[in-house]
Amino acid sequence: MNSERPWPRPKVFICYSNRDCSKHTSVIQSFAYFLQDFCGCEVVLDLWEHLEMCREGQMSWLSRQLDEANLIITVCSKGLRYHVEKKSRRGKTPVGRRGNGGISPIGESHGDLFVVAVAMIAEKLRLAKQSKDGGDQELSRLMAVYFDYSTENDIPTVLNLAPR
């Protein structure tokens, strides 16, 4: 992407596990700054959107971001795979789907919002693969990535359809 690109900048949503170690969160922030500063992207990261999430509600905010993003990047890690697949094995409803949006108290992580996000992304992937027209455009918006401290095995099964 060219940093001299005219406005509007491409909007990139980053989905990641907030339950990995603090070093992982630092890598996510560095990646977001890289996309913003060197690639000229408008980056959406929950760490930067606390006020907006509280104002709008977590589920509404997440749904809107997934619909509006030009590119959705899921950063896969051991923690993301563990929590996503643990929820599906137990058949539990993610915390973010209970009640009226599940806004967390200040200072607490956003529960399992990333688990809900991965499920929503997986559904978008599934629908894009089934679509006869326009599926390629939707599929090109979705990407699963991992950094050098993770492996391809850390990509959850539900994201197998995602380009890497």
Side-chain angles (χ1 to χ4, degrees):
M1 294 183 182
N2 186 348
S3 62
E4 297 175 9
R5 183 182 178 117
W7 298 92
R9 301 179 303 164
K11 188 173 185 176
V12 178
F13 177 81
I14 300 175
C15 176
Y16 68 99
S17 166
N18 61 3
R19 291 191 167 194
D20 283 83
C21 66
S22 61
K23 288 182 182 179
H24 178 67
T25 303
S26 294
V27 168
I28 297 300
Q29 284 205 73
S30 295
F31 179 55
Y33 283 124
F34 172 79
L35 291 172
Q36 178 180 273
D37 297 343
F38 294 100
C39 299
C41 297
E42 176 188 345
V43 177
V44 177
L45 187 64
D46 66 335
L47 296 169
W48 301 347
E49 302 271 336
H50 289 292
L51 183 59
E52 190 63 31
M53 288 173 75
C54 289
R55 193 176 304 141
E56 192 172 339
Q58 287 182 351
M59 289 304 295
S60 296
W61 176 87
L62 175 61
S63 192
R64 182 173 58 83
Q65 298 307 330
L66 292 175
D67 288 342
E68 292 178 357
N70 299 104
L71 183 63
I72 299 168
I73 299 175
T74 304
V75 180
C76 300
S77 62
K78 290 182 187 338
L80 183 114
R81 181 176 178 143
Y82 173 79
H83 291 288
V84 166
E85 293 188 351
K86 179 177 93 170
K87 291 292 182 192
S88 66
R89 279 191 307 268
R90 292 185 182 171
K92 290 187 176 179
T93 303
V95 172
R97 289 198 180 170
R98 294 182 194 147
N100 60 0
I103 296 174
S104 309
I106 300 296
E108 185 180 317
S109 70
H110 293 110
D112 290 333
L113 189 63
F114 71 91
V115 175
V116 175
V118 169
M120 292 171 80
I121 293 166
E123 181 64 10
K124 286 181 177 294
L125 283 166
R126 189 185 68 74
L127 292 173
K129 282 292 189 179
Q130 288 180 345
S131 175
K132 290 185 175 121
D133 56 337
D136 290 340
Q137 182 179 357
E138 180 68 11
L139 199 56
S140 68
R141 295 178 51 223
L142 308 166
M143 183 183 306
V145 303
Y146 55 91
F147 291 107
D148 60 359
Y149 52 86
S150 293
T151 67
E152 194 164 351
N153 292 331
D154 294 327
I155 298 173
T157 307
V158 296
L159 297 180
N160 278 345
L161 297 174
R164 290 166 174 78

Coordinates of all heavy atoms in Angstrom, one line a residue, residues 4-42:
E4 N 1.2 7.5 0.2 CA 0.7 8.7 -0.4 C -0.6 8.5 -1.0 O -1.1 9.4 -1.8 CB 1.7 9.2 -1.5 CG 3.1 9.5 -0.9 CD 4.1 9.8 -2.0 OE1 3.7 10.0 -3.1 OE2 5.3 9.9 -1.6
R5 N -1.3 7.5 -0.7 CA -2.6 7.1 -1.3 C -3.6 8.2 -0.9 O -3.6 8.7 0.2 CB -3.0 5.8 -0.6 CG -4.3 5.3 -1.1 CD -4.6 4.0 -0.4 NE -5.9 3.5 -0.8 CZ -6.1 2.3 -1.4 NH1 -5.1 1.5 -1.7 NH2 -7.3 1.9 -1.8
P6 N -4.5 8.6 -1.8 CA -5.4 9.6 -1.5 C -6.5 9.1 -0.5 O -6.7 7.9 -0.3 CB -6.1 9.9 -2.8 CG -5.8 8.7 -3.7 CD -4.6 8.1 -3.2
W7 N -7.1 10.1 0.2 CA -8.2 9.7 1.1 C -9.4 9.2 0.4 O -9.6 9.6 -0.7 CB -8.5 11.0 1.9 CG -7.4 11.5 2.7 CD1 -6.5 12.4 2.3 CD2 -7.0 11.0 4.0 NE1 -5.6 12.6 3.3 CE2 -5.8 11.7 4.3 CE3 -7.5 10.1 4.9 CZ2 -5.2 11.6 5.5 CZ3 -6.8 9.9 6.1 CH2 -5.7 10.6 6.4
P8 N -10.2 8.3 0.9 CA -10.1 7.8 2.2 C -9.0 6.7 2.3 O -8.8 5.9 1.3 CB -11.5 7.3 2.5 CG -12.0 6.9 1.2 CD -11.4 7.9 0.2
R9 N -8.4 6.6 3.4 CA -7.5 5.5 3.7 C -8.2 4.2 3.8 O -9.3 4.2 4.3 CB -6.6 5.8 4.9 CG -5.9 7.1 4.8 CD -5.1 7.4 6.0 NE -5.9 7.4 7.2 CZ -5.5 7.3 8.5 NH1 -4.2 7.2 8.7 NH2 -6.3 7.3 9.5
P10 N -7.6 3.0 3.4 CA -8.3 1.8 3.6 C -8.4 1.5 5.1 O -7.5 1.7 5.9 CB -7.3 0.7 3.0 CG -6.0 1.4 2.8 CD -6.3 2.9 2.8
K11 N -9.6 1.0 5.5 CA -9.9 0.7 6.9 C -9.6 -0.7 7.2 O -10.1 -1.6 6.6 CB -11.3 1.0 7.2 CG -11.7 0.9 8.7 CD -13.1 1.4 8.9 CE -13.5 1.5 10.4 NZ -14.8 2.0 10.6
V12 N -8.7 -1.0 8.2 CA -8.2 -2.3 8.6 C -8.7 -2.6 10.0 O -8.3 -1.9 10.9 CB -6.7 -2.4 8.5 CG1 -6.2 -3.8 8.9 CG2 -6.2 -2.1 7.1
F13 N -9.4 -3.7 10.2 CA -9.8 -4.2 11.5 C -8.9 -5.3 11.9 O -8.7 -6.2 11.1 CB -11.3 -4.7 11.5 CG -11.7 -5.2 12.8 CD1 -12.1 -4.4 13.8 CD2 -11.7 -6.6 13.1 CE1 -12.5 -4.9 15.1 CE2 -12.1 -7.1 14.3 CZ -12.5 -6.2 15.3
I14 N -8.3 -5.2 13.1 CA -7.4 -6.3 13.6 C -8.1 -7.0 14.7 O -8.5 -6.5 15.7 CB -6.1 -5.7 14.1 CG1 -5.4 -4.9 13.0 CG2 -5.2 -6.8 14.7 CD1 -4.1 -4.2 13.5
C15 N -8.2 -8.3 14.5 CA -8.8 -9.2 15.5 C -7.7 -10.1 16.1 O -6.8 -10.6 15.3 CB -9.8 -10.2 14.8 SG -10.5 -11.4 15.9
Y16 N -7.6 -10.2 17.4 CA -6.5 -10.9 18.0 C -7.0 -11.4 19.4 O -8.0 -10.9 19.9 CB -5.3 -10.0 18.2 CG -5.5 -8.9 19.2 CD1 -5.1 -9.0 20.5 CD2 -6.3 -7.8 18.8 CE1 -5.4 -8.0 21.4 CE2 -6.6 -6.8 19.7 CZ -6.1 -6.9 21.0 OH -6.4 -5.9 22.0
S17 N -6.2 -12.3 20.0 CA -6.6 -12.7 21.4 C -6.0 -11.7 22.4 O -4.8 -11.5 22.4 CB -6.0 -14.1 21.6 OG -6.0 -14.4 23.0
N18 N -6.8 -11.2 23.2 CA -6.4 -10.3 24.3 C -6.0 -11.2 25.5 O -5.7 -10.6 26.6 CB -7.4 -9.2 24.6 CG -8.7 -9.8 25.1 OD1 -8.9 -11.0 25.2 ND2 -9.7 -8.9 25.3
R19 N -6.0 -12.5 25.4 CA -5.7 -13.4 26.5 C -4.3 -14.0 26.4 O -4.0 -14.8 27.2 CB -6.8 -14.5 26.6 CG -8.1 -13.9 27.1 CD -9.0 -15.0 27.4 NE -10.2 -14.5 28.1 CZ -11.0 -15.3 28.8 NH1 -10.8 -16.6 28.8 NH2 -12.0 -14.8 29.3
D20 N -3.6 -13.6 25.4 CA -2.2 -14.0 25.3 C -1.4 -13.1 26.2 O -1.9 -12.2 26.9 CB -1.7 -13.9 23.9 CG -2.2 -15.0 23.0 OD1 -3.3 -15.0 22.5 OD2 -1.4 -16.0 22.8
C21 N -0.1 -13.3 26.3 CA 0.8 -12.5 27.2 C 0.8 -11.0 26.7 O 0.4 -10.6 25.6 CB 2.2 -13.1 27.2 SG 3.1 -13.0 25.7
S22 N 1.4 -10.2 27.6 CA 1.5 -8.7 27.3 C 2.4 -8.5 26.1 O 2.2 -7.5 25.4 CB 1.9 -8.0 28.5 OG 3.2 -8.4 29.0
K23 N 3.4 -9.3 25.9 CA 4.3 -9.1 24.7 C 3.5 -9.3 23.4 O 3.7 -8.6 22.5 CB 5.4 -10.2 24.8 CG 6.4 -9.8 25.9 CD 7.6 -10.8 25.8 CE 8.5 -10.5 27.0 NZ 9.6 -11.4 27.0
H24 N 2.5 -10.2 23.4 CA 1.7 -10.4 22.2 C 0.9 -9.1 22.0 O 0.8 -8.6 20.8 CB 0.7 -11.6 22.4 CG -0.2 -11.8 21.3 ND1 0.2 -12.2 20.0 CD2 -1.5 -11.7 21.2 CE1 -0.8 -12.3 19.2 NE2 -1.9 -12.0 19.9
T25 N 0.3 -8.5 23.0 CA -0.4 -7.3 22.9 C 0.5 -6.2 22.4 O 0.0 -5.4 21.5 CB -1.1 -6.9 24.2 OG1 -1.9 -8.0 24.7 CG2 -1.9 -5.6 24.1
S26 N 1.7 -6.1 22.8 CA 2.7 -5.1 22.3 C 3.0 -5.3 20.8 O 3.1 -4.4 20.1 CB 4.0 -5.2 23.1 OG 3.8 -4.8 24.4
V27 N 3.1 -6.6 20.4 CA 3.3 -6.9 19.0 C 2.1 -6.4 18.2 O 2.2 -5.8 17.1 CB 3.6 -8.4 18.8 CG1 3.5 -8.8 17.3 CG2 4.9 -8.8 19.4
I28 N 0.9 -6.7 18.7 CA -0.3 -6.2 18.0 C -0.3 -4.7 17.8 O -0.6 -4.2 16.8 CB -1.6 -6.7 18.8 CG1 -1.7 -8.2 18.8 CG2 -2.9 -6.1 18.2 CD1 -1.7 -8.9 17.5
Q29 N 0.0 -4.0 18.9 CA 0.0 -2.5 18.8 C 1.1 -2.1 17.8 O 0.8 -1.1 17.1 CB 0.2 -1.9 20.2 CG -1.0 -2.0 21.0 CD -1.0 -0.9 22.1 OE1 -1.2 0.3 21.8 NE2 -0.8 -1.3 23.3
S30 N 2.2 -2.7 17.9 CA 3.3 -2.3 16.9 C 2.9 -2.6 15.5 O 3.1 -1.7 14.6 CB 4.6 -3.1 17.2 OG 5.1 -2.8 18.4
F31 N 2.2 -3.7 15.2 CA 1.7 -4.0 13.9 C 0.6 -3.0 13.5 O 0.7 -2.5 12.3 CB 1.0 -5.4 14.0 CG 0.4 -5.9 12.7 CD1 1.2 -5.9 11.5 CD2 -0.9 -6.3 12.6 CE1 0.6 -6.3 10.3 CE2 -1.5 -6.8 11.5 CZ -0.7 -6.8 10.3
A32 N -0.2 -2.6 14.4 CA -1.3 -1.6 14.1 C -0.6 -0.2 13.8 O -1.0 0.4 12.8 CB -2.2 -1.4 15.3
Y33 N 0.4 0.2 14.5 CA 1.1 1.4 14.2 C 1.8 1.3 12.9 O 1.8 2.3 12.1 CB 2.1 1.8 15.3 CG 1.5 2.3 16.6 CD1 1.7 1.8 17.8 CD2 0.7 3.5 16.5 CE1 1.1 2.3 19.0 CE2 0.1 4.0 17.7 CZ 0.3 3.4 18.9 OH -0.2 3.9 20.0
F34 N 2.4 0.2 12.6 CA 3.0 0.0 11.3 C 2.0 0.2 10.1 O 2.3 0.9 9.2 CB 3.7 -1.4 11.2 CG 4.2 -1.7 9.8 CD1 5.4 -1.2 9.4 CD2 3.4 -2.5 9.0 CE1 5.9 -1.5 8.1 CE2 3.9 -2.8 7.7 CZ 5.1 -2.3 7.2
L35 N 0.9 -0.5 10.2 CA -0.2 -0.3 9.2 C -0.6 1.1 9.1 O -0.9 1.6 8.0 CB -1.4 -1.2 9.5 CG -1.1 -2.7 9.4 CD1 -2.3 -3.5 9.9 CD2 -0.8 -3.1 8.0
Q36 N -0.7 1.8 10.2 CA -1.2 3.2 10.2 C -0.1 4.1 9.7 O -0.4 4.9 8.8 CB -1.6 3.5 11.7 CG -2.0 5.0 11.8 CD -2.4 5.2 13.3 OE1 -3.5 5.0 13.7 NE2 -1.4 5.7 14.1
D37 N 1.1 4.0 10.2 CA 2.1 5.0 9.9 C 2.8 4.8 8.6 O 3.2 5.7 7.9 CB 3.1 5.1 11.0 CG 2.5 5.5 12.4 OD1 1.4 6.1 12.3 OD2 3.1 5.3 13.4
F38 N 3.1 3.5 8.2 CA 3.9 3.2 7.0 C 3.0 2.8 5.9 O 3.5 2.9 4.7 CB 5.0 2.2 7.4 CG 6.0 2.7 8.3 CD1 5.9 2.4 9.7 CD2 7.0 3.6 7.9 CE1 6.8 2.9 10.5 CE2 7.9 4.1 8.8 CZ 7.8 3.8 10.1
C39 N 1.9 2.2 6.1 CA 1.0 1.7 5.0 C -0.2 2.7 4.7 O -0.9 2.4 3.8 CB 0.5 0.3 5.3 SG 1.8 -0.9 5.5
G40 N -0.3 3.7 5.6 CA -1.4 4.7 5.4 C -2.8 4.1 5.6 O -3.7 4.6 5.0
C41 N -2.9 3.2 6.5 CA -4.3 2.6 6.7 C -4.9 3.3 7.9 O -4.2 3.8 8.8 CB -4.1 1.1 7.1 SG -3.5 0.1 5.7
E42 N -6.2 3.2 7.9 CA -7.0 3.6 9.1 C -7.2 2.3 9.9 O -7.9 1.4 9.4 CB -8.3 4.2 8.7 CG -9.2 4.5 9.9 CD -10.6 4.9 9.5 OE1 -10.8 5.3 8.3 OE2 -11.5 4.9 10.4

